[in-house]
């Protein structure tokens, strides 16, 4: 779902910052900012949002088209207003995806913190 740093990459980046003269608080603040950006990107690019939005958009277009269909167009579809029913179905599916996204939002996995006895690679 969301892009997280591997423990080795995190340790390497932290060591590089320490060698450059940054304090432990600076390193932790930088890591926290990067993880927040990663979580925000995961929420923005969640497929449920994209799929739900597209289905809602196309569902609205087809529903409006179905409401304005002439009798001749309905007769060609054997008496069924196919644009209206398909639009309502797509609208319902899109709203389902967006409701699912709202009820169960993406959460980034908890970062793995190194244990005190672990040493950073050199």
């Amino acid at each position: 779902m969301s892009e997280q740093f591997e423990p080795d990459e995190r340790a390497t980046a932290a060591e590089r910052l320490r060698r450059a003269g940054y304090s432990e608080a600076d390193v932790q603040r930088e890591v926290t900012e990067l993880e927040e950006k990663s979580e925000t990107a995961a929420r923005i690019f969640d497929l449920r949002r994209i799929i739900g939005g597209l289905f809602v958009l196309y569902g609205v277009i087809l529903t409006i088209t179905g409401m304005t269909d002439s009798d001749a167009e309905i007769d060609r579809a054997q008496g069924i207003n196919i644009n209206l029913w398909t639009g309502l179905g797509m609208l319902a599916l899109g709203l389902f995806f967006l409701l699912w996204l709202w009820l169960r939002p993406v959460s980034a996995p908890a970062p793995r913190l190194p244990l005190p006895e672990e040493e950073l690679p050199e």
Side-chain angles (χ1 to χ4, degrees):
M1 297 260 167
S2 68
E3 190 89 15
Q4 291 292 318
F5 290 110
E6 295 296 323
D8 293 336
E9 293 174 5
R10 183 182 306 179
T12 304
E15 183 63 28
R16 201 174 327 120
L17 288 172
R18 284 188 197 96
R19 286 182 188 157
Y22 291 97
S23 69
E24 185 66 32
D26 292 334
V27 172
Q28 289 300 321
R29 184 176 53 248
E30 186 70 25
V31 168
T32 303
E33 288 174 7
L34 289 173
E35 287 175 347
E36 287 173 359
K37 287 179 183 177
S38 176
E39 188 173 329
T40 301
R43 278 194 311 269
I44 290 172
F45 295 111
D46 188 357
L47 286 179
R48 296 175 294 179
R49 179 183 315 268
I50 296 167
I51 292 170
L54 285 174
F55 268 99
V56 166
L57 176 68
Y58 294 147
V60 167
I61 292 170
L62 272 176
T63 302
I64 292 171
T65 303
M67 286 191 276
T68 59
D69 277 346
S70 66
D71 289 334
E73 291 171 335
I74 294 173
D75 288 339
R76 278 194 335 202
Q78 298 178 355
I80 299 171
N81 193 343
I82 195 73
N83 286 334
L84 179 64
W85 289 110
T86 304
L88 290 173
M90 291 178 81
L91 194 57
L93 182 64
L95 290 175
F96 166 75
F97 271 95
L98 294 177
L99 180 68
W100 180 20
L101 175 69
W102 183 65
L103 292 175
R104 298 188 49 98
V106 173
S107 61
R112 179 189 168 275
L113 298 175
L115 298 174
E117 62 270 1
E118 290 182 1
E119 293 183 24
L120 296 175
E122 301 210 18

